[in-house]
Amino acid sequence: MEELIQNLKKEIIEALNLEGINPNDIDANAPLFEEGLMLDSIDALELIVLMEKKYGIKLKDPNEGKEIFKSVACMAAYIQANRIK
Amino acid sequence: MLWPYLGKEVAMSVIKHWVKLTSADVMVDGVEIPHQKHGADLLLELFQVHIGDYPKFFKMDALCRAGFVASELLIMNNLDTKSMEGESCGVILFNTVGSLATDKKYQTTIDNYPSPSVFVYTLPNVLTGEIAIRNHYHGPTDFIVLDYAEASAVVDILTYAFEDRKLNSLLTGWVECLDENTFDIRMMIVEKEMISKKMLLVNEFKMFLNK
Amino acid sequence: MVVKLADNILSPLGTTTAENYAAVKAGISGLRRHDGIGGVREPFVASVIPEGGVCQSGVYSRFEMMCISSARQALNQTNIDPSSNKVLFILSTTKGNVRYLGTNNVFEEPTPPTGKVGADKQTCMPTCLTADRERENRHNEKNVYQLFRENSVNSDCYEAISNNLENVRIGCSARRIAGYFHNENTPIAVSNACASGVCAQIIAMRAVKSGNYDYAVVIGADELSPFIITGFQSLKALSSEVCKPFDSGRQGLNLGEAAATIIYGKSDNVNLQQWVLVNGAVRNDANHISSPSRTGEGLYLALMQVMEKAQQDDIAFINAHGTATLYNDEMESVVVNRVGMQSIPMNSMKGYFGHTLGAAGVLETVLSMCAIDNHTILATRNFEKIGVSKPVNISSKNQFTDKKSFVKLISGFGGCNAVALFRKGGCDECD
């Protein structure tokens, strides 16, 4: 799980062009949207692409993302339970 | 205002505030802005030295980065443009290629994982939106693509825009970008009263593009 | 006053304005489900002009032929000489020839989508246009890059552009389309995303008013391509079913392709049958590049500006953008309430044509004019139960009106919003 969280942080930074942010700057339990990393709706869509690309998980309904993308830890837990690759 | 033009100084009477930003060259109101880097790195350097603390910059595509940095340099160096906001300020930009650089980039993602964050930048008028957001401009924004840089067509379109009686000033100009390292931005501020001097404006705009 | 002189709509529902209006009034839609076509893996619902619906040409691309067919039909209703230097061509499009980005040759036609269209209506074929070699040669004589270089020198960027991908540039398409009509004025291509069609009409109105031109030919068009479809899919903006504007069950938009033309000219004596573009305004949300502002700031400011001197009682209906995305329709309901126009009937055309992008502003204006000519407020197809937070009066079925004005709303990426007010038979405050 720790490893997945670390990888996920790196992948998020790369996918969202989070310039100047290191994996260690991201608190796995902090909210990703509105506060914390201040991600927006387009970032959320890019996270959906990331989940499919890296883990083979397809989100049909973007509203599901609201729960899954609460924090890096939430995302990691969902990925662990649903990953295809 | 004196412009260095084709080796000699030419008096400009209408356009007072302008910026030229190319892959290798930065100039605001005739003054060179010192810099070390080129291309995409130049934009990053200018952003870090002069702007900073605007994380949205890193989300932008190449056209928006170049256009955004140019607009910031133009506005921050002019006392009378700094406080402009609201419905009286608009943005009208022109080029020949639209959002071609990002169109090509998005095209490469289609077959595998189409990228939403790239796709949103496949519309050049997103740049007019980025500038409006940064400066709280609620006036008209337009992005016009012409087949080639024709000064009189540009000035005509600016003239039409000022038919909007609430509009007082326009951030306008020519904004080409072919890839992240190849861009040529020429922006200026045009005020409502300048429009009455149409011929002068056309001539100066022509000169401006040729600088 | 600036009046409409002629118009045309080319869509899966017909190749003339009359055919399109008749289909819409009868409740017919061009929306169909398409499975795995044109290089798009996921199925989608869209309104697509079927194979053969646009004439092929060895000279012009499919997109350009859509524009040319539509403009030609409109011009044929008038005595205007389109080659005159008093005629201005204005093109409204989001992506023009973008489908050729991946190919080397603009005239190498990729296989067009072949969805089953026309199940409930025989699809009409436009009058075929013969590729006119003479015109092509004439056009090529004028090397646009020569002109370009004369105007702009000393820059690597400009040099690179002149050697680069001219076929997909929309300015180039605009030049070719105007060139078909032997028109040599610099055509204006408006690239304001989905708001382009109304922005283009506002520019046309002012160009004619200025006296620079006697006539402005506004062409709005977009064709569907994997580029556009996958893009909207990636934004999760598409509905898997037919779109339901303002409905509580709406899930997103459907895309559509169409070309529409309006020709504007000047008239000092407007007769009762003539349509006047009274005024228009463009305003920016200054909020977000791809989501509408929650308060609808830009659309609110534009609508306030346009309604400043107008009487609400004269307005037959508001033709909304009504894309059927959650946020757009919600935002429009907020704005209409902020301006106090919530009791005026409001409709959306997206259930008939889908979102036709650069064509939408022009197509929906033409259709709204037809509706008032026919004393009708058109139904919002697929609307059943209100699904926005503020009360709005969505027209759910065709109904009678004897009023003579309507307001067109439109919004798009880049935070751009445009509003225009149209009135039949002129008015006191029109100038």
Side-chain angles (χ1 to χ4, degrees):
Chain A
M1 193 65 178
E2 261 318 300
E3 197 192 332
L4 177 59
I5 287 178
Q6 266 326 98
N7 285 340
L8 201 51
K9 285 180 183 175
K10 279 184 215 148
E11 286 159 4
I12 291 172
I13 289 168
E14 195 199 324
L16 306 185
N17 290 323
L18 301 177
E19 194 84 13
I21 291 178
N22 295 314
N24 295 333
D25 298 340
I26 304 176
D27 176 352
N29 295 306
L32 288 169
F33 291 85
E34 278 153 29
E35 35 186 318
L37 289 180
M38 300 280 285
L39 304 186
D40 76 354
S41 52
I42 302 166
D43 296 315
L45 295 165
E46 208 57 59
L47 290 181
I48 294 178
V49 175
L50 187 156
M51 299 252 288
E52 186 180 349
K53 201 167 165 177
K54 306 273 182 186
Y55 303 102
I57 300 171
K58 271 193 167 182
L59 288 193
K60 273 273 174 267
D61 178 4
N63 283 327
E64 285 178 71
K66 276 186 192 145
E67 285 301 309
I68 302 163
F69 301 146
K70 262 187 173 164
S71 65
V72 175
C74 278
M75 246 181 111
Y78 186 85
I79 289 168
Q80 195 151 44
N82 296 283
R83 67 189 296 171
I84 297 168
K85 57 183 183 192
Chain B
M1 179 70 47
L2 294 175
W3 290 33
Y5 173 61
L6 298 179
K8 59 178 190 232
E9 299 287 307
V10 177
M12 304 296 290
S13 61
V14 186
I15 303 171
K16 294 190 187 78
H17 297 309
W18 54 272
V19 57
K20 174 188 176 185
L21 170 60
T22 69
S23 316
D25 210 2
V26 199
M27 204 182 263
V28 179
D29 293 354
V31 179
E32 288 267 8
I33 304 286
H35 60 89
Q36 259 96 54
K37 308 267 174 60
H38 252 250
D41 292 339
L42 167 63
L43 297 179
L44 203 57
E45 180 189 356
L46 292 169
F47 175 78
Q48 281 159 350
V49 172
H50 300 279
I51 306 165
D53 197 28
Y54 193 67
K56 275 201 186 97
F57 175 78
F58 298 104
K59 309 271 183 192
M60 293 179 193
D61 74 338
L63 172 65
C64 286
R65 283 185 182 205
F68 174 78
V69 166
S71 72
E72 286 290 294
L73 293 175
L74 177 59
I75 292 164
M76 71 177 53
N77 281 291
N78 294 300
L79 269 179
D80 42 341
T81 55
K82 264 186 192 164
S83 58
M84 296 184 344
E85 62 173 35
E87 263 183 295
S88 64
C89 306
V91 185
I92 301 188
L93 299 174
F94 299 81
N95 78 6
T96 62
V97 295
S99 53
L100 188 60
T102 303
D103 291 357
K104 286 197 264 182
K105 189 172 168 193
Y106 175 73
Q107 179 79 24
T108 64
T109 75
I110 289 182
D111 291 335
N112 297 307
Y113 300 97
S115 168
S117 61
V118 178
F119 183 68
V120 291
Y121 283 99
T122 62
L123 292 160
N125 72 308
V126 166
L127 171 57
T128 63
E130 295 280 18
I131 295 170
I133 291 169
R134 171 70 168 177
N135 300 292
H136 311 289
Y137 293 170
H138 286 290
T141 50
D142 274 308
F143 199 102
I144 307 292
V145 179
L146 298 177
D147 201 17
Y148 57 89
E150 192 188 291
S152 62
V154 168
V155 173
D156 279 345
I157 290 167
L158 301 181
T159 309
Y160 305 150
F162 280 109
E163 286 288 303
D164 186 325
R165 59 166 193 79
K166 284 201 176 145
L167 186 68
N168 286 326
S169 64
L170 274 174
L171 192 150
T172 185
W174 205 266
V175 292
E176 301 287 2
C177 174
L178 274 193
D179 59 54
E180 58 184 14
N181 288 310
T182 317
F183 46 85
D184 188 327
I185 311 290
R186 318 283 173 111
M187 275 183 192
M188 58 186 184
I189 304 284
V190 171
E191 309 278 348
K192 193 171 208 158
E193 62 271 15
M194 296 180 189
I195 289 297
S196 57
K197 299 170 185 160
K198 189 183 161 180
M199 285 321 292
L200 273 174
L201 197 55
V202 170
N203 283 335
E204 291 184 13
F205 194 77
K206 210 176 269 179
M207 259 186 240
F208 183 36
L209 288 180
N210 280 295
K211 274 172 66 62
Chain C
M1 276 183 244
V2 175
V3 296
K4 183 197 76 169
L5 299 172
D7 58 48
N8 172 264
I9 298 173
L10 167 67
S11 86
L13 297 181
T15 58
T16 64
T17 301
E19 284 171 1
N20 276 277
Y21 179 70
V24 167
K25 200 175 179 200
I28 296 165
S29 168
L31 294 170
R32 300 288 178 276
R33 188 185 159 92
H34 298 271
D35 284 295
I37 58 160
V40 179
R41 287 188 302 261
E42 304 273 326
F44 59 94
V45 175
S47 170
V48 181
I49 299 174
E51 205 173 349
V54 182
C55 286
Q56 288 197 11
S57 153
V59 181
Y60 303 99
S61 70
R62 180 174 181 269
F63 162 74
E64 288 158 4
M65 286 304 284
M66 286 166 64
C67 296
I68 289 169
S69 303
S70 178
R72 212 174 78 139
Q73 292 232 29
L75 281 161
N76 282 345
Q77 300 157 25
T78 70
N79 296 317
I80 298 168
D81 170 11
S83 70
S84 156
N85 65 2
K86 298 299 274 183
V87 177
L88 174 67
F89 279 78
I90 304 178
L91 177 64
S92 158
T93 184
T94 63
K95 296 311 307 171
N97 277 337
V98 75
R99 69 149 68 175
Y100 299 100
L101 247 191
T103 66
N104 294 324
N105 185 341
V106 73
F107 308 125
E108 185 187 304
E109 282 282 324
T111 321
T114 53
K116 287 199 183 74
V117 181
D120 53 2
K121 186 177 187 301
Q122 200 61 40
T123 318
C124 333
M125 302 280 286
T127 329
C128 255
L129 306 171
T130 46
D132 189 338
R133 282 282 155 191
E134 195 191 330
R135 264 180 196 162
E136 180 205 10
N137 292 339
R138 187 188 138 104
H139 176 59
N140 286 347
E141 273 169 29
K142 192 169 182 178
N143 182 340
V144 293
Y145 298 115
Q146 211 61 48
L147 293 165
F148 188 80
R149 287 201 189 93
E150 284 166 19
N151 279 273
S152 301
V153 292
N154 297 334
S155 163
D156 293 347
C157 186
Y158 287 92
E159 270 308 304
I161 289 162
S162 29
N163 303 316
N164 207 290
L165 285 164
E166 67 255 42
N167 289 334
V168 299
R169 299 198 297 110
I170 63 174
C172 233
S173 279
R175 172 72 68 188
R176 274 199 290 267
I177 293 160
Y180 174 89
F181 296 101
H182 298 255
N183 187 289
E184 294 188 352
N185 290 323
T186 299
I188 296 171
V190 179
S191 190
N192 276 352
C194 305
S196 303
V198 175
C199 297
Q201 292 183 63
I202 293 170
I203 292 174
M205 170 182 78
R206 292 170 180 165
V208 170
K209 257 189 202 166
S210 73
N212 289 354
Y213 300 95
D214 292 338
Y215 307 104
V217 181
V218 182
I219 308 167
D222 261 302
E223 68 165 347
L224 292 183
S225 60
F227 187 102
I228 289 174
I229 297 166
T230 59
F232 278 89
Q233 283 176 335
S234 79
L235 295 177
K236 307 284 177 200
L238 299 186
S239 171
S240 57
E241 297 163 24
V242 290
C243 68
K244 298 178 171 175
F246 298 98
D247 190 85
S248 58
R250 71 184 186 281
Q251 293 177 352
L253 59 83
N254 303 139
L255 291 167
E257 52 183 10
T261 303
I262 300 186
I263 302 174
Y264 285 111
K266 213 175 199 163
S267 168
D268 295 326
N269 297 303
V270 176
N271 69 45
L272 286 174
Q273 297 309 308
Q274 268 177 320
W275 273 102
V276 177
L277 171 40
V278 180
N279 72 51
V282 183
R283 293 290 183 269
N284 201 287
D285 283 339
N287 177 66
H288 193 270
I289 57 164
S290 61
S291 309
S293 145
R294 300 252 162 170
T295 56
E297 204 55 28
L299 191 65
Y300 167 76
L301 292 171
L303 185 53
M304 285 294 280
Q305 175 73 12
V306 164
M307 290 301 293
E308 194 179 41
K309 294 183 200 157
Q311 294 291 327
Q312 281 201 24
D313 290 347
D314 294 341
I315 312 281
F317 58 84
I318 300 166
N319 179 242
H321 191 29
T323 59
T325 63
L326 283 178
Y327 295 116
N328 176 80
D329 295 8
E330 173 63 22
M331 182 275 286
E332 285 185 301
S333 80
V334 168
V335 167
V336 166
N337 276 270
R338 282 183 74 185
V339 182
M341 295 174 77
Q342 64 272 22
S343 59
I344 297 172
M346 180 150 85
N347 61 13
S348 158
M349 297 296 116
K350 301 297 190 286
Y352 305 97
F353 299 95
H355 186 347
T356 52
L357 307 172
V362 183
L363 184 155
E364 292 163 14
T365 297
V366 172
L367 214 64
S368 296
M369 289 172 171
C370 287
I372 286 185
D373 289 343
N374 191 235
H375 301 291
T376 301
I377 302 168
L378 289 166
T380 302
R381 198 175 189 274
N382 307 326
F383 170 80
E384 285 166 22
K385 185 167 168 271
I386 192 80
V388 287
S389 69
K390 297 285 180 296
V392 278
N393 180 9
I394 303 299
S395 170
S396 60
K397 56 179 193 298
N398 294 338
Q399 46 186 305
F400 174 83
T401 183
D402 55 5
K403 295 184 177 177
K404 301 290 178 199
S405 305
F406 72 93
V407 173
K408 171 78 196 118
L409 312 181
I410 203 156
S411 307
F413 278 13
C416 188
N417 303 270
V419 176
L421 171 66
F422 300 86
R423 183 169 302 157
K424 192 178 181 180
C427 52
D428 299 336
E429 78 268 23
C430 307
D431 45 36

